């Protein structure tokens, strides 16, 4: 092919242009560490990265949900323990009252029980992050309301909440209950914490009855009625403590799974989008060498012509 | 027999011939950097012989023409390839703008995928993050339905998403208006070029009629104009026997000899879809060149991206409003729309919610402020296949939109690269035929110089001979 004066110059410009473009691309890849920056760099890869990133963000949200549930479960656990202690003490008093003859002693136990009832109401109305924990989905009003007699003693405790619980997603398609209803007398759904028709538990009513029997000195009723009833309540608390433990274990497992999956997603995004730095630098080096060679030889060729040798 | 005077005359003509050679070489050298120029050569021819007793005798040489070296096939190919290059370059340019408008860039330095979710400052500004943020905010409200803080965050995320939709729709629509302006500018450029080509046809015909030989430099200029015109549309240029070039596009004559047959104009084919037609009202079908690139990008990938964004916004508005409308807010109200508007340009968060986040209807039943069934249903929309979106989820549909646009640009990038290679190869081939070589011209110059010197020597020799003849008398 015949090569003319401008063929050299034009070709050199094209070659230098290509090498500059390539250097720019590789330099950007080295500086950002990314193979994909814009969708056009690798449309399919970008599509996969977007899917993975979305999964990552969803997993992060699940982790936040898990930590929120865990927090709630831990607070609930403390309440359960407190209630269990009250239940234990009430049981003790019931047993002790069986062997007591003195009316004064019975009265003293009755007074203690009054305090225990108030303490239990307070515990059952525990709030966490603006929500009453044991009112079902009626979270904005105190679930338990005590009625007092003229002497300031609790005569009954009314439940203001419902037996519904809200569920929170901790993984795709997997939702766990975020609450324990205070009372469930419907015979189905989640078990009530203080009263449940299926187990016979009705903590406040039983405490009030025990206190009244203590006041009346009716040790017979305490023996035959109150002690077995309090046993039902205790079993109900034990069930809730155990269920809470299981729930926390599930949350831990779910959190671990989410974390592992998130790490996997990070790794996959990295595989798709990140540049192989070693390879990029080697290629950049090669391109720079080619660029220098093109400049040098181009300069040499362009400078020379027949003109240099004609006088 | 020429005799001394005849020989002197021949020497003088030879001097003139070599001088013409030097002049043409000089012209070539002067145009060495003119890309439209085709090198020229002097055509010599031996003069008519005269009969002598010794037989026919030569009388020297004469310049019969100054011709240019061109390959018509390569010239035609270059016009076509220039059109294809411009077609893809236009697409590339517009799609690059569209890609930037979409703002779906990947910035790995800004944070990990998990950090991107929690902080929202991942340095990414695309709709994908806004969509995730909205559904995550629904999740957060579902986890704490009575929390005003979470509701406030939800309102902000929903506003950010709506604004992002508006921005994207605005940018893509703006790009379409730019295209319309560009179509008008380019149609004007085409009309200017066709007028110039017609004028050059006239000049070439007139010059070639009055003088022998082709009007080389005017033809160079016309070829340059044709190549420039070829960048705008797919043209066929046919030279007639008078040396005039007729230009037509898909059988529609634009330049007929010395006249512009039909100027181009831009018209609204409906709904702002501006098209090209000739002044007689006939739509002009285009298959290559930047005009076709503009129209096809607008009606292809850009329109597709905008339609998909509108579809996505429409489906999101409908699905979210349906789910939200069934819920109950903190005050016990129901039936409120979450979003207002119908498409990407008009979507916005209901002003009632923006003013008062407690109006967000998270609960599925009235009177239970801690209930989250509606919020949970809204959050679950993120993983629900939408029949209106071809049974893809919102995010899958958007990711597909990004991928489609990316693929269109990647395709344009590949084609531009290929076209560059083809065009470069053709230009090299044309350079091989028509380009000026400095070395060659210098050699030519030395050749003519030596011949000029030799002819001058002939003149001085004949002069000496004449001197001798004249001195014979003394």
């Amino acid at each position: 092919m015949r090569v003319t004066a401008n063929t050299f110059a034009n070709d050199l410009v094209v070659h230098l242009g290509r090498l500059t473009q390539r250097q720019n691309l590789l330099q950007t890849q080295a500086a950002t560490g990314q193979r994909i920056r814009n969708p056009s760099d690798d449309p399919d890869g970008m599509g996969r990265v977007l899917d993975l990133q979305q999964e990552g963000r969803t997993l992060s949200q699940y982790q936040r949900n898990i930590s929120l549930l865990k927090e709630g479960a831990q607070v609930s656990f403390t309440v359960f323990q407190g209630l269990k202690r009250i239940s234990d003490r009430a049981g003790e008093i019931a047993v002790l009252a069986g062997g007591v003859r003195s009316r004064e002693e019975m009265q003293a136990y009755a007074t203690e029980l009054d305090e225990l009832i108030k303490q239990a109401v307070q515990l059952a109305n525990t709030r966490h992050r603006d929500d009453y924990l044991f009112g079902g989905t009626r979270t904005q009003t105190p679930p338990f309301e005590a009625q007092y007699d003229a002497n300031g003693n609790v005569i009954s405790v009314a439940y203001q909440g419902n037996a519904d619980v809200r569920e929170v997603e901790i993984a795709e398609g997997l939702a766990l209950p975020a609450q324990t209803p205070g009372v469930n007398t419907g015979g189905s759904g989640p078990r009530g914490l203080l009263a449940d028709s299926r187990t016979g538990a009705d903590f406040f009513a039983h405490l009030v009855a025990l206190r009244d029997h203590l006041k009346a000195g009716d040790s017979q009723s305490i023996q035959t009625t109150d002690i077995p009833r309090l046993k039902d309540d205790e079993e109900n608390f034990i069930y809730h403590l155990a269920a809470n433990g299981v729930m926390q274990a599930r949350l831990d497992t779910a959190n671990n799974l989410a974390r592992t999956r998130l790490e996997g997603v990070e790794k996959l995004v990295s595989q798709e989008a990140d540049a192989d730095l070693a390879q990029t630098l080697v290629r950049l080096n090669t391109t720079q060498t080619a660029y220098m060679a093109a400049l040098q030889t181009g300069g040499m060729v362009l400078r020379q012509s027949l003109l240099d040798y004609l006088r | 027999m020429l005799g001394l005077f005849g020989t002197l005359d021949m020497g003088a003509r030879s001097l003139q011939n070599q001088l013409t050679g030097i002049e043409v070489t000089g012209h070539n050298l002067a145009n060495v950097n003119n890309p439209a120029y085709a090198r020229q050569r002097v055509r010599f021819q031996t003069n008519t012989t005269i009969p002598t007793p010794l037989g026919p005798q030569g009388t020297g040489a004469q310049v019969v023409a100054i011709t240019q070296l061109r390959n018509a096939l390569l010239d035609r190919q270059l016009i076509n390839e220039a059109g294809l290059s411009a077609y893809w370059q236009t697409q590339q340019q517009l799609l690059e703008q569209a890609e930037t408008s979409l703002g779906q860039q990947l910035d790995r330095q800004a944070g990990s995928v998990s950090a991107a979710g929690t902080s929202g400052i991942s340095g990414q500004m695309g709709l994908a993050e806004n969509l995730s943020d909205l559904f995550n905010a629904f999740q957060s409200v579902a986890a704490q339905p009575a929390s005003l803080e979470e509701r406030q965050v939800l309102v902000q995320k929903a506003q950010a998403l709506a604004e992002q939709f508006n921005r994207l729709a605005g940018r893509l629509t703006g790009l379409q208006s730019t295209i319309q302006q560009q179509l008008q500018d380019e149609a004007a450029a085409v009309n200017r070029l066709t007028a110039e080509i017609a004028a050059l046809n006239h000049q070439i015909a007139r010059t070639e009629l009055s003088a022998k030989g082709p009007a080389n430099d005017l033809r160079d200029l016309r070829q340059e104009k044709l190549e420039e015109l070829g960048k705008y549309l797919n043209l066929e240029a046919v030279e007639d026997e008078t040396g005039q070039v007729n230009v037509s596009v898909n059988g529609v004559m634009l330049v007929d000899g010395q006249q512009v047959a039909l100027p181009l104009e831009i018209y609204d084919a409906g709904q702002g879809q501006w098209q090209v037609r000739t002044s007689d009202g006939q739509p002009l079908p285009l298959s290559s060149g930047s005009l076709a690139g503009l129209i096809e990008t607008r009606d292809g990938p850009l329109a597709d991206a905008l339609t998909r964004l509108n579809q996505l916004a429409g489906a999101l508005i409908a699905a979210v409003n349906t789910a939200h409308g069934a819920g109950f807010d903190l005050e016990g109200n129901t039936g409120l729309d979450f979003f207002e508007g119908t498409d990407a340009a008009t979507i916005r968060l209901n002003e009632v919610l923006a003013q008062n986040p407690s109006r967000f209807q998270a609960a599925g039943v009235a009177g239970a402020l801690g209930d989250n069934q509606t919020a949970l249903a809204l959050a679950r929309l993120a993983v629900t296949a939408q029949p209106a979106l071809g049974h893809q989820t919102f995010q899958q549909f958007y990711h597909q939109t990004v991928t489609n646009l990316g693929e269109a640009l990647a395709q344009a990038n590949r084609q531009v690269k290929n076209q560059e290679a083809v065009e470069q190869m053709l230009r090299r081939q044309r350079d091989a035929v028509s380009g000026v070589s400095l070395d060659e011209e210098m050699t030519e110059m030395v050749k003519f110089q030596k011949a000029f010197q030799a002819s001058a020597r002939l003149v001085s020799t004949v002069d000496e001979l004449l001197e001798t003849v004249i001195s014979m008398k003394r």
Side-chain angles (χ1 to χ4, degrees):
Chain A
M1 186 187 254
R2 181 175 166 271
V3 175
T4 64
N6 283 329
T7 312
F8 274 121
N10 292 342
D11 281 4
L12 185 63
V13 168
V14 171
H15 291 147
L16 289 179
R18 269 190 208 149
L19 287 166
T20 317
Q21 267 176 22
R22 197 165 177 70
Q23 278 189 92
N24 181 259
L25 176 76
L26 290 167
Q27 206 278 327
T28 310
Q29 285 189 0
T32 58
Q34 286 175 223
R35 187 178 65 84
I36 304 175
R37 189 166 175 79
N38 289 309
S40 55
D41 293 339
D42 178 355
D44 291 340
M46 185 72 172
R48 286 191 294 270
V49 169
L50 285 174
D51 286 344
L52 288 166
Q53 281 188 323
Q54 182 217 333
E55 193 180 340
R57 286 189 291 267
T58 309
L59 285 168
S60 299
Q61 178 64 37
Y62 287 143
Q63 281 191 315
R64 286 198 290 282
N65 288 359
I66 289 168
S67 96
L68 199 75
L69 281 188
K70 177 103 178 160
E71 205 181 286
Q74 281 167 347
V75 175
S76 298
F77 190 75
T78 319
V79 175
F80 296 169
Q81 281 178 322
L83 288 169
K84 171 77 168 43
R85 272 196 295 275
I86 292 170
S87 158
D88 290 348
R89 180 63 191 149
E92 267 174 45
I93 290 171
V95 173
L96 289 169
V100 170
R101 297 279 179 263
S102 152
R103 194 166 177 81
E104 285 72 26
E105 273 181 274
M106 292 282 242
Q107 283 299 329
Y109 284 139
T111 310
E112 187 183 345
L113 214 60
D114 242 337
E115 289 310 311
L116 286 177
I117 293 168
K118 286 176 189 166
Q119 203 184 330
V121 170
Q122 199 185 342
L123 272 174
N125 281 339
T126 300
R127 279 184 95 174
H128 175 61
R129 285 184 184 251
D130 295 337
D131 279 354
Y132 286 98
L133 283 175
F134 308 109
T137 53
R138 291 198 186 126
T139 55
Q140 301 306 300
T141 40
F144 293 94
E145 198 180 1
Q147 272 83 45
Y148 299 92
D149 60 13
N151 301 324
N153 297 323
V154 176
I155 48 170
S156 66
V157 179
Y159 182 56
Q160 316 283 330
N162 58 23
D164 299 330
V165 290
R166 69 162 177 266
E167 295 197 320
V168 173
E169 281 205 340
I170 57 159
E172 196 177 319
L174 175 61
L176 287 188
Q179 300 155 307
T180 308
V183 172
N184 185 355
T185 51
S188 64
R191 260 206 220 183
L193 174 63
L194 293 137
D196 190 88
S197 56
R198 286 161 292 187
T199 60
D202 192 350
F203 195 46
F204 287 121
H206 297 164
L207 288 182
V208 169
L210 173 62
R211 188 209 50 206
D212 291 347
H213 291 148
L214 283 169
K215 269 189 176 168
D218 184 357
S219 55
Q220 181 64 31
S221 296
I222 295 173
Q223 284 288 343
T224 55
T225 323
D226 294 336
I227 291 180
R229 280 176 174 176
L230 283 171
K231 201 90 182 147
D232 290 342
D233 292 321
E234 190 192 352
E235 272 167 18
N236 192 38
F237 289 134
I238 290 170
Y239 163 82
H240 280 291
L241 279 166
N244 186 287
V246 171
M247 162 99 160
Q248 290 204 36
R250 274 186 86 179
L251 288 172
D252 287 340
T253 311
N255 197 26
N256 283 340
L257 277 174
R259 198 177 50 237
T260 315
R261 181 74 197 117
L262 206 52
E263 281 164 9
V265 167
E266 285 272 13
K267 210 165 150 186
L268 287 171
V269 170
S270 171
Q271 272 174 13
E272 285 286 354
D274 289 353
D276 180 338
L277 214 54
Q279 201 182 35
T280 307
L281 290 177
V282 169
R283 281 164 64 200
L284 180 59
N285 207 355
T286 316
T287 312
Q288 275 176 332
T289 312
Y291 184 69
M292 282 192 292
L295 283 177
Q296 209 170 8
T297 52
M300 262 163 51
V301 171
L302 281 184
R303 263 205 313 272
Q304 285 181 344
S305 81
L306 186 59
L307 208 56
D308 302 323
Y309 301 96
L310 289 176
R311 261 178 271 154
Chain B
M1 224 172 116
L2 284 172
L4 283 175
F5 285 109
T7 311
L8 192 64
D9 192 38
M10 186 169 68
R13 267 203 316 276
S14 176
L15 279 174
Q16 191 58 48
N17 288 349
Q18 306 317 321
L19 192 62
T20 309
I22 297 256
E23 281 168 3
V24 170
T25 306
H27 187 51
N28 283 341
L29 285 172
N31 282 291
V32 68
N33 289 327
N34 177 358
Y37 182 77
R39 67 189 164 125
Q40 297 178 5
R41 284 285 175 262
V42 180
R43 262 180 54 205
F44 292 105
Q45 198 180 315
T46 48
N47 254 342
T48 45
T49 54
I50 49 169
T52 67
L54 300 171
Q57 187 183 359
T59 57
Q62 61 172 337
V63 173
V64 287
I66 298 169
T67 51
Q68 60 177 183
L69 289 113
R70 273 199 178 279
N71 181 331
L73 184 67
L74 281 174
D75 283 346
R76 262 205 302 280
Q77 272 182 316
L78 261 167
I79 293 175
N80 290 340
E81 295 304 330
L84 270 178
S85 293
Y87 172 77
W88 287 111
Q89 276 164 1
T90 307
Q91 292 221 1
Q92 184 189 40
Q93 208 182 353
L94 290 171
L95 291 170
E96 270 173 359
Q97 286 181 43
E99 189 185 64
T100 313
S101 302
L102 211 55
Q104 201 61 61
Q105 263 199 350
L106 201 59
D107 188 354
R108 301 269 297 136
Q109 307 296 316
S112 61
V113 276
S114 48
T118 47
S119 63
I121 48 157
S122 60
Q124 299 176 17
M125 345 160 247
L127 197 65
E129 290 75 26
N130 293 107
L131 278 169
S132 284
D133 281 355
L134 176 74
F135 290 116
N136 282 352
F138 283 143
Q139 282 280 7
S140 292
V141 174
Q144 293 173 269
S147 160
L148 278 176
E149 290 82 5
E150 294 298 348
R151 284 165 175 263
Q152 190 63 46
V153 170
L154 168 66
V155 162
Q156 281 165 3
K157 298 294 182 195
Q159 275 173 329
L161 173 70
E163 281 163 14
Q164 181 75 292
F165 263 121
N166 301 157
R167 228 179 347 258
L168 292 189
R171 283 184 195 150
L172 290 177
T173 318
L175 201 54
Q176 293 193 319
S177 324
T178 317
I179 290 175
Q180 184 199 327
Q181 184 59 47
Q182 216 167 325
L183 277 173
Q184 246 149 8
D185 293 349
E186 293 201 355
V190 167
N191 289 339
R192 178 179 53 78
L193 283 167
T194 47
E196 283 175 0
I197 289 167
L200 280 165
N201 272 343
H202 174 66
Q203 286 176 5
I204 289 166
R206 207 178 52 187
T207 312
E208 290 182 357
L209 265 178
S210 58
K212 61 173 183 178
N216 295 326
D217 299 325
L218 288 172
R219 281 171 173 269
D220 282 348
L221 199 57
R222 185 177 64 189
Q223 175 64 24
E224 191 182 17
K225 299 289 175 199
L226 282 170
E227 280 170 31
E228 205 182 328
L229 183 64
K231 285 181 189 166
Y232 294 108
L233 29 72
N234 46 304
L235 59 86
E236 288 150 54
V238 182
E239 188 174 329
D240 65 15
E241 65 281 0
T242 61
Q244 301 184 110
V245 164
N246 295 324
V247 179
S248 59
V249 175
N250 290 335
V252 180
M253 191 77 95
L254 294 189
V255 178
D256 186 6
Q258 303 180 8
Q259 281 175 351
V260 175
L262 291 166
L264 294 192
E265 58 186 38
I266 302 297
Y267 72 105
D268 188 354
Q271 298 173 333
Q273 297 296 294
W274 292 76
Q275 298 285 351
V276 180
R277 69 177 176 201
T278 45
S279 59
D280 61 353
Q282 290 299 310
L284 190 65
L286 298 167
S287 55
S288 167
S290 56
L291 281 168
L294 285 170
I295 293 171
E296 283 180 27
T297 313
R298 179 195 64 196
D299 299 347
L302 284 185
D304 182 54
L306 194 59
T307 310
R308 288 181 70 98
L309 268 186
N310 284 333
Q311 252 179 297
L312 177 61
L316 185 74
I317 293 166
V320 168
N321 282 353
T322 307
H324 184 256
F328 295 88
D329 67 13
L330 291 181
E331 296 159 16
N333 303 307
T334 184
L336 192 73
D337 277 347
F338 187 83
F339 283 123
E340 288 172 340
T342 50
D343 58 14
T346 54
I347 182 175
R348 69 191 189 102
L349 180 70
N350 192 332
E351 197 54 33
V352 177
L353 285 172
Q355 297 293 332
N356 183 7
S358 65
R359 293 293 305 272
F360 174 63
Q361 299 169 181
V365 287
L369 305 187
D371 186 75
N372 69 350
Q373 289 174 53
T374 303
L376 207 55
L378 284 164
R380 283 175 177 156
L381 284 176
V383 289
T384 311
Q386 300 294 323
L389 303 177
H391 294 282
Q392 284 181 309
T393 64
F394 296 114
Q395 315 214 35
Q396 282 169 344
F397 188 79
Y398 174 67
H399 297 171
Q400 183 74 51
T401 308
V402 174
T403 311
N404 287 353
L405 195 66
E407 186 50 52
L409 177 54
Q411 152 95 344
N413 285 340
R414 281 193 298 271
Q415 292 291 352
V416 165
K417 209 173 243 176
N418 289 347
Q419 267 310 117
E420 271 172 6
V422 171
E423 227 188 309
Q424 194 206 354
M425 196 184 70
L426 279 174
R427 286 204 184 279
R428 284 181 65 166
Q429 285 179 357
R430 184 164 73 171
D431 253 9
V433 178
S434 306
V436 177
S437 157
L438 279 180
D439 293 344
E440 270 178 25
E441 298 306 322
M442 295 312 295
T443 323
E444 289 284 303
M445 200 158 73
V446 172
K447 230 166 64 185
F448 289 124
Q449 187 189 4
K450 293 290 174 198
F452 187 88
Q453 284 169 348
S455 302
R457 178 60 60 85
L458 176 72
V459 171
S460 66
T461 306
V462 173
D463 182 43
E464 279 172 31
L465 291 176
L466 279 170
E467 192 70 32
T468 311
V469 171
I470 292 163
S471 63
M472 279 165 64
K473 252 171 60 179
R474 294 194 198 127

